[in-house]
Amino acid sequence: MSAIVRVRNLSRVFDVSKPWLNRVIERLPKARLRAVDDVSFEIEENACYALVGESGSGKSTIGKMVVGLLPPSQGSVEVMGVDLATEPEGERRVEVRANLQMIFQDPYASLNPRWKVRDIVAEPAVAQGKATDGLAEALLEKVGLSAVDAGKYPHEFSGGQRQRICIARALAGEPKVIICDEPTSALDVSVQSQVLNLMSDLRADLGLSYLFISHDLTVVRHMADTIGVLYLGALIEEAPRDRLFEDPKHPYTQMLFEAAPKMDAFGREIDPPKGEIPNPIDPPSGCPFHPRCPIAVDRCSVDRPELRWIGSTRVACHLAE
Amino acid sequence: MTDPVLSVQGLTVEIPGRRGILRPVDDVSFDIAAGEILGVVGESGAGKSMTGNAVIGLLDPPARISAGQVMLKGEPIHTTKGDAIRRIRGKRMGMIFQDPLTSLNPLLTIGDQLTETILQHLDVSEPEARRRAMTALDDVGIPAVEDRIDSYPHQFSGGMRQRVVIALALCAEPEVVIADEPTTALDVSVQAQVLALLKRLCREKGLAVMLITHDMGVIAETADRVAVMYAGRMAELGPVRDVVTVAHHPYTAGLMASTPDASRGEARLRQIPGSMPRLGNLPAGCPFHPRCDRVGEKCRHDPRPDLSVDGGRAACWFPLTEKAET
Amino acid sequence: MTDTPDHRPPEMQARPSRLRRAWESDFIYSFTRSPVAMVSAFVVVVLVLGAVFAPLIAPYDPFNPASLNLMNGFTPPGTANQFTGDVFVMGSDDQGRDVFSTILYGMRISLFVGFAAVLLAMTIGVTLGLIAAYVGGWVETIIMRIADVQLTFPAILVAMLIFGIAQGITPPEYRDQVAIWVLILAIGLSDWVQFARVVRGATLVEKNREYVQAARLVGRSGNAIMLRHILPNVLNPVLVIATISLALAIIAEATLSFLGVGAPPTKPSLGTLIRIGQEFMFSGEWWILIFPSATLLALALSINLLGDWLRDALNPKLRA
């Protein structure tokens, strides 16, 4: 297997300063938010790579940079061996970019309410100048809707059905990789399972690869082959699925697993995790997790740990072994 | 068990609409005892929030309680109106909403908001009210209360804000607390903190808590008993351990089976086909029958079942009585 | 592929005809539940039809000098003229013109100028608003600063200024012919700002919605996204403003004509008629003033009330 997407040292800085005049009057420096900090990973062909993290972990920003909705501040995204930021040939860039599609979190906002489903689904093909006769109908049937639905408007569908339409639209571009940004977090559980099953089927049938972005550990555990855990914009642990869940190395990963509600834990009395995610504008020194870490030592507040290999796990912690 | 603090019998909410009367809550009954957490679980549109609002008297017209009763310590409150219900609402029943930002006034310090609520409902002096406000904040685990009591809501993080909302709901020492998706807007690690806090306060203060959520995992960990709602009706009601281990209603079973669980190690998730019917368009018979894999003739044609057909446990003609093989 | 049987409610499986769906839509429902909207719509329709079919309805042709008889001057409404025996429903003016007919013809001018001016304002405003919000940067700054500056002057002043300049550069012999078009230009240019502001606001919201991101992602051009995706979704507020602007434009036209800088007396609009009428207010010939004024009032008020209702009906927040 070879990597279809290579993300190298990806960083993104947002300028979150107050307006210029306020800064002058209040004598404030420019405020910068490092939303994504030096993240590298690879997505194998026909694999599902998941990024998990809580709010502010930068997972959605990474998704947007991979798909090209946001330019990276530093680093590169390489798709099928082509670096999209530096590739000089415009045509090649368009061609490679067409292999990336995205499914968004909110199935209500991601479909133009004034368009018929037929036009929505066929839009990627229209943009690529391909024939669209019967395309929407065929794709709708592929995602478990019926061809008749092509003539309807989005508001006639439920949340789960809308997400199917979004998937059909993504497929119309004949992508190799689909970036899924919290594709089921707006859906009810019973509908979520329908959509997840559909995504698994499509991956098997069409040889798709997924970059799956989610905060939900149970969903990630079901879908992913490899999982990267993000904290404050940085990748702090990455491992194959089973290995990560059986033997989490990073204290943050351990805390996340411990805190997640479990079906079989009746009246469980856990010692809830300490503290909250720090303000990303003013992140802690050293290891970003050290103020909340139960095993932190002096070194953690000074020295920022690099990712290092332990078996098949990559972990950024001084103490993990 | 002692007498229930909150007793809801046959509660029905109606919304007169253009295409007929909708019943977002239909014949719902449950009790909550002191120190007990009742989890109310269901998907969007199941009527769980509407039930909570009806109990505390916060229905927006034209929605109204058309039948049934809500009793607080044996005293009916569903007919109470105006000032009287407002007094009960702040004093004897508290409410915690999903979004902590919108339930706090951004222009008042949290100390002022707490003190005001306490003065309104308890007969205490102003310094005493402030002292109690500090205790309330301390109770919900806000560190350095002295320094933070005069801060504004935006100066708190999401989790801390939800703690303040809980303090606000509890500061007048209510008997019942209704928590409507209190952790949905929070991250996993903070959710665990808030749930642990809710459990502790419930036990320490002998509160009757109605915890409304869509997350079966939250219910399993936090609640003592669980009520599963579907299309405005009660589908199943029972002790949480029983319901989670052997669900009687096929909907409950399906709901849990569709939650991904690695311990089952399956390649495909179980799925309930279709989606919840719209209120204006409920099927005849059992409202779940078009999606049910155990459906029989009785389900399609007989009047819809209530909990009594399965000894008060599940509203199903053919309840599952042993653990379904996975 | 998927083993999901489709359990949609029957209402979604069989589809009623387009007409039937339109009739059952919330929009029509809200209309039939609002007496104010229905009465206003009725008044507007009657007046517009009257203006459109003026040549068929009007008993006299007020602009044909051959048909005028000065003996008919100042005939009170509904009574026979003492010299000619002619009867005028709303009386006649100083030159013996039938007031009812002049109102019908005057309304044609007023409505034409109103509609055309709003169309112009809307085209300019929507285009600039869309571009400002979508392109951003210095383009946005320039457009919106111009809008702000214009907004600090009363619209009627701006219109008078434009009217004056345009009249000044037109040779005198053409002035009466182009007066109507100059009027449209003046009112249209004085009114684009609110369209631009509203469209810019709505576009800023829409352009961050995920469906726009999805369109960017598949490589649609900026133009396609603006015109095909965003524009249809910002038209609701535009429609509301256009309706209310129509009432304002008709009044602006009347004001200009009343001040004598608008429609020429040879092609009188409602405003011109009111100006003529007010000369006779205190000499007892009230009908020459009152009937055109009442028509203007009814027209502007009905359109305005219709606009108010439209705003409520299109506001998703107010929908039950």
Side-chain angles (χ1 to χ4, degrees), chain A residues 54-55 156 158 188-190 192-194 196-197 201 218 221-222 255 259-263 265-270 272-277 292, chain B residues 43-44 157 159-160 187-191 193 199 203 216-218 220-221 241 244 255-256 258 260 262 266-274 291:
Chain A
E54 300 180 280
S55 54
E156 298 176 58
S158 67
D188 283 317
V189 252
S190 71
Q192 162 175 293
S193 57
Q194 296 170 9
L196 293 179
N197 281 343
D201 292 341
T218 58
R221 185 169 193 182
H222 179 77
M255 186 213 83
K262 287 172 194 63
M263 286 282 229
F266 306 112
R268 183 168 65 131
E269 298 287 336
I270 51 163
K274 279 192 300 180
E276 290 184 44
I277 299 163
R292 303 173 69 189
Chain B
E43 298 179 283
S44 45
S157 66
M160 285 298 158
D187 283 313
V188 189
S189 57
V190 184
Q191 163 172 296
Q193 298 167 0
K199 262 198 284 193
R203 208 171 36 225
M216 207 62 197
V218 168
E221 247 182 66
R241 185 180 294 267
V244 171
L255 204 58
M256 288 189 302
S258 42
E266 62 216 343
R268 285 179 67 82
L269 292 168
R270 295 285 211 83
Q271 54 187 47
I272 310 178
R291 304 175 70 189

Side-chain angles (χ1 to χ4, degrees), chain A residues 36-58:
Chain A
V36 177
D37 193 359
D38 198 20
V39 169
S40 307
F41 61 90
E42 293 183 354
I43 305 174
E44 302 286 324
E45 218 164 299
N46 200 9
C48 179
Y49 186 95
L51 287 173
V52 273
E54 300 180 280
S55 54
S57 64

Side-chain angles (χ1 to χ4, degrees), chain C:
Chain C
M1 215 34 268
T2 53
D3 46 10
T4 324
D6 195 8
H7 284 289
R8 265 169 306 169
E11 64 179 16
M12 283 175 55
Q13 286 166 5
R15 287 167 62 75
S17 75
R18 184 173 283 265
L19 194 71
R20 190 162 175 78
R21 270 183 293 139
W23 180 247
E24 285 178 351
S25 72
D26 293 342
F27 193 68
I28 299 291
Y29 178 73
S30 118
F31 183 72
T32 55
R33 297 294 291 273
S34 163
V36 173
M38 293 213 293
V39 171
S40 307
F42 177 76
V43 172
V44 171
V45 167
V46 166
L47 291 177
V48 169
L49 285 180
V52 171
F53 295 107
L56 302 177
I57 302 168
Y60 300 88
D61 181 354
F63 303 129
N64 181 359
S67 75
L68 291 184
N69 186 347
L70 277 180
M71 301 294 277
N72 275 335
F74 300 124
T75 315
T79 48
N81 183 278
Q82 56 192 52
F83 307 109
T84 62
D86 290 345
V87 180
F88 302 95
V89 211
M90 293 186 183
S92 69
D93 67 2
D94 55 333
Q95 301 178 47
R97 292 188 296 200
D98 176 30
V99 171
F100 179 59
S101 303
T102 51
I103 286 176
L104 289 180
Y105 279 91
M107 243 177 3
R108 296 184 88 167
I109 309 280
S110 292
L111 280 168
F112 176 70
V113 171
F115 272 112
V118 169
L119 207 62
L120 179 67
M122 195 161 83
T123 315
I124 300 173
V126 170
T127 313
L128 291 182
L130 209 54
I131 291 175
Y134 193 78
V135 178
W138 59 269
V139 175
E140 180 179 19
T141 311
I142 291 178
I143 293 176
M144 295 328 286
R145 283 306 86 72
I146 293 176
D148 287 345
V149 169
Q150 181 164 339
L151 214 57
T152 56
F153 297 102
I156 199 79
L157 266 186
V158 177
M160 282 179 79
L161 181 73
I162 298 168
F163 191 86
I165 295 172
Q167 286 287 48
I169 57 175
T170 318
E173 59 269 34
Y174 296 115
R175 271 188 199 157
D176 272 10
Q177 287 171 27
V178 298
I180 298 292
W181 299 103
V182 172
L183 208 50
I184 291 169
L185 190 72
I187 297 172
L189 285 181
S190 70
D191 199 34
W192 64 274
V193 174
Q194 46 172 333
F195 286 98
R197 290 170 72 108
V198 165
V199 167
R200 173 176 164 269
T203 305
L204 285 177
V205 174
E206 294 294 325
K207 89 170 185 184
N208 287 320
R209 302 279 297 270
E210 291 171 338
Y211 72 87
V212 174
Q213 295 193 350
R216 278 176 60 199
L217 208 70
V218 303
R220 293 312 288 267
S221 67
N223 283 340
I225 291 175
M226 266 201 289
L227 296 179
R228 300 211 50 220
H229 278 286
I230 297 180
L231 184 60
N233 282 296
V234 299
L235 282 185
N236 274 358
V238 170
L239 200 62
V240 174
I241 295 184
T243 315
I244 292 169
S245 280
L246 178 60
L248 292 176
I250 289 172
I251 290 177
E253 183 276 332
T255 311
L256 290 174
S257 298
F258 181 81
L259 295 173
V261 295
T266 48
K267 275 189 184 170
S269 70
L270 287 177
T272 324
L273 294 179
I274 294 170
R275 174 167 57 106
I276 298 170
Q278 57 98 25
E279 291 169 23
F280 306 104
M281 181 67 204
F282 296 105
S283 55
E285 289 83 17
W286 50 269
W287 58 89
I288 307 177
L289 173 67
I290 293 300
F291 288 121
S293 308
T295 314
L296 178 68
L297 183 73
L299 187 63
L301 186 65
S302 305
I303 295 175
N304 221 330
L305 290 174
L306 215 50
D308 273 355
W309 163 79
L310 200 61
R311 185 180 46 213
D312 295 346
L314 292 177
N315 186 348
K317 278 188 199 142
L318 295 176
R319 257 186 227 160

